[in-house]
Amino acid sequence: MEVRCRAPGKIILAGEHAVVHGAAAIAASIDLYTEVHISLRPSGQEDELIELDLKDMGLNLSWPCSQLKEVLGDCSAHGSVLMSCTSEKLELLSGLVAQKNIPQENVQLNSGLYAFLFLYTSILGYKPGKTIVTSELPMGSGLGSSASFCVALSGALIALSEGFSLKIKEKKDQFSFEKNVLELVSKWAFEGERIVHGKPSGIDNTVSTFGNMIKFKKELKTTSSMTPLNSTTPLKMLITDTRVGRNTKSLVSSVSERALRHPDTMSSVFNAINSISDELALLVESPAADKAAVSEKEEKLMELMQMNQGLLQCIGVSHESIETVVRTTMKEKLVSKLTGAGGGGCVLTFVPTLLSAAVTEKVISELEKCGFRCFMVEVGGPGVQVFP
Ligand SMILES: Nc1ncnc2c1ncn2[C@@H]1O[C@H](COP(=O)(O)OP(=O)(O)OP(=O)(O)O)[C@@H](O)[C@H]1O
Ligand SMILES: C[C@@](O)(CCO)CC(=O)[O-]
Ligand SMILES: [Mg+2]
């Protein structure tokens, strides 16, 4: 039995970090994917293994099923029985990963490996199998690499878990999950994200699962709310990867610490970001009948992105490299903001409909001279997809 599943990365148009503290945020999927292929091996043989092949990194790891069972104990694994990783279990998982002597330059991978072992054994138990992962997303750069990894993995595992029927999509060589199964995929991925991030809001796994553009709000006491948005005009975004490494977990906790030091001030900033997301959601869905209306809409959108970037700087998650992108693009009156956790990573630049190709090329060339990598993305494609 085998299955292939892919899930997209994302951009956040407004509201990152504030969303962790209850503000609304707007995110959209992009056309860069993480793909997970799992083939199960027949059980009951000797030397059964759970293997993980991280193709992009050239890392091939495996754990004997018997060892995993001995360390993690018996479990009644099933895709429909959602569970969280306890701190005791995380400790056991870290022991299992530590034995693999991961090269120092890949040490940031550890949390992804804990998430892999947790999701695999919680959903499929100790069934032997080989998982191959490839990704088009730069890892740890703000484009949701962790969420797309967790969503693609959870999707593939659930597709292989007993009792889940997949619906064949008309005319496409592709399967889709029923809506309630999609919700389950997103919830499992959230449990994986908790291992990677510590305190995720859930926006990244939600947009990677459902795709398109969403407005997301984490209700502090109950569950989260997700509203799909229908953008009436195409949004073209230039992404600049500053190549400055950062880690979402530590950036999220640095914002929480600042919020503890200045509760009233930070709460006002989060409220302001919430208003930006509310306004942006209305704006993207508002009709724009002619060129003048499109330009007016784009001006407003750029202003909102600019204000959001200012507030992100104010909560301490910008970075010299991000400010360089903001200044460089501003020379051509283009607005940029960080996306995802900030601290380096990727920056979004809105590309207005009427911007000439010559100006776009000039901006890209200046950014690349700074050592950054630029690429265009399609905004708002499909979410998780599963292939037989
Ligand atoms: N393809 C992958 N294979 C294994 N682990 C991965 C993969 N992609 C991401 N990860 C895990 O996720 C970590 C990066 O997650 P992190 O949340 O810091 O960045 P991001 O998701 O790219 O950005 P953001 O959360 O700001 O959108 C990696 O260090 C690794 O542990
Ligand atoms: C920084 C953050 O707001 C977005 C990361 O893409 C964290 C989260 O919401 O989980
Ligand atoms: Mg992440």
Side-chain angles (χ1 to χ4, degrees), residues 11-12 16 141-143 237-244 305 309 317-327 329 335-340 342-350 367 372-375 377:
I11 53 171
I12 297 191
E16 51 274 268
S141 300
L143 298 183
M237 291 286 170
L238 169 70
I239 305 236
T240 302
D241 184 356
T242 62
R243 302 179 203 252
V244 173
M305 282 175 63
Q309 172 59 26
V317 295
S318 194
H319 183 270
E320 215 182 292
S321 60
I322 297 173
E323 299 301 324
T324 302
V325 178
V326 171
R327 276 196 313 274
T329 55
V335 165
S336 303
K337 78 170 267 295
L338 67 86
T339 188
C346 288
V347 184
L348 295 180
T349 303
F350 179 70
L367 290 167
F372 306 145
R373 186 171 73 97
C374 296
F375 49 98
V377 285

Side-chain angles (χ1 to χ4, degrees), residues 10 12 15-20 142-144 193 197 199-204 216 246 248 251-252 339-342:
K10 62 94 222 302
I12 297 191
E16 51 274 268
H17 287 290
V19 69
V20 175
L143 298 183
E193 277 278 84
H197 277 206
K199 200 185 163 198
S201 62
I203 188 170
D204 290 2
F216 181 92
R246 30 49 96 230
T248 301
L251 286 151
V252 168
T339 188

Side-chain angles (χ1 to χ4, degrees), residues 11 23 35 78 87 130-131 171 178 215 220 241 258 267 284 291 341 351:
I11 53 171
E35 189 168 298
H78 198 274
S87 49
K130 178 164 182 170
T131 304
K171 294 196 213 111
E178 306 278 351
K215 180 176 176 186
L220 288 178
D241 184 356
R258 193 178 280 216
S267 153
V284 293
K291 274 188 189 162
V351 182

Side-chain angles (χ1 to χ4, degrees), residues 130-369:
K130 178 164 182 170
T131 304
I132 301 172
V133 183
T134 51
S135 185
E136 299 165 343
L137 289 158
M139 197 188 295
S141 300
L143 298 183
S145 70
S146 61
S148 73
F149 171 63
C150 291
V151 171
L153 180 60
S154 303
L157 292 166
I158 283 182
L160 291 170
S161 182
E162 277 150 33
F164 286 97
S165 60
L166 298 168
K167 214 167 77 183
I168 297 178
K169 264 197 177 168
E170 294 285 318
K171 294 196 213 111
K172 281 192 189 158
D173 187 17
Q174 182 196 323
F175 286 82
S176 67
F177 291 110
E178 306 278 351
K179 185 156 184 286
N180 61 330
V181 183
L182 276 179
E183 269 154 21
L184 194 61
V185 170
S186 184
K187 283 182 182 160
W188 272 115
F190 179 70
E191 295 304 331
E193 277 278 84
R194 287 179 61 181
I195 296 174
V196 180
H197 277 206
K199 200 185 163 198
S201 62
I203 188 170
D204 290 2
N205 52 284
T206 304
V207 74
S208 180
T209 304
F210 293 95
N212 300 314
M213 191 183 292
I214 61 165
K215 180 176 176 186
F216 181 92
K217 195 161 182 155
K218 183 180 109 176
E219 309 296 347
L220 288 178
K221 292 225 164 56
T222 56
T223 51
S224 305
S225 67
M226 190 268 282
T227 319
L229 297 176
N230 285 316
S231 177
T232 49
T233 42
L235 299 180
K236 212 165 142 192
M237 291 286 170
L238 169 70
I239 305 236
T240 302
D241 184 356
T242 62
R243 302 179 203 252
V244 173
R246 30 49 96 230
N247 166 304
T248 301
K249 187 173 184 172
S250 62
L251 286 151
V252 168
S253 67
S254 76
V255 173
S256 296
E257 281 159 21
R258 193 178 280 216
L260 284 176
R261 287 196 296 277
H262 313 282
D264 293 344
T265 309
M266 288 290 276
S267 153
S268 302
V269 178
F270 296 147
N271 278 335
I273 296 178
N274 183 66
S275 302
I276 290 176
S277 297
D278 281 347
E279 206 180 321
L280 192 67
L282 289 176
L283 188 67
V284 293
E285 290 200 307
S286 66
D290 52 30
K291 274 188 189 162
V294 171
S295 289
E296 195 187 326
K297 186 172 164 175
E298 291 183 343
E299 285 298 326
K300 281 190 185 159
L301 187 131
M302 289 198 283
E303 229 165 47
L304 289 169
M305 282 175 63
Q306 191 173 37
M307 286 191 274
N308 196 170
Q309 172 59 26
L311 294 169
L312 285 160
Q313 205 232 5
C314 143
I315 63 175
V317 295
S318 194
H319 183 270
E320 215 182 292
S321 60
I322 297 173
E323 299 301 324
T324 302
V325 178
V326 171
R327 276 196 313 274
T328 308
T329 55
M330 191 39 84
K331 285 189 212 160
E332 298 298 334
K333 298 194 171 48
L334 297 178
V335 165
S336 303
K337 78 170 267 295
L338 67 86
T339 188
C346 288
V347 184
L348 295 180
T349 303
F350 179 70
V351 182
T353 325
L354 293 178
L355 191 76
S356 71
V359 173
T360 312
E361 273 162 34
K362 185 173 166 212
V363 171
I364 291 177
S365 147
E366 272 216 45
L367 290 167
E368 288 181 344
K369 271 190 217 143

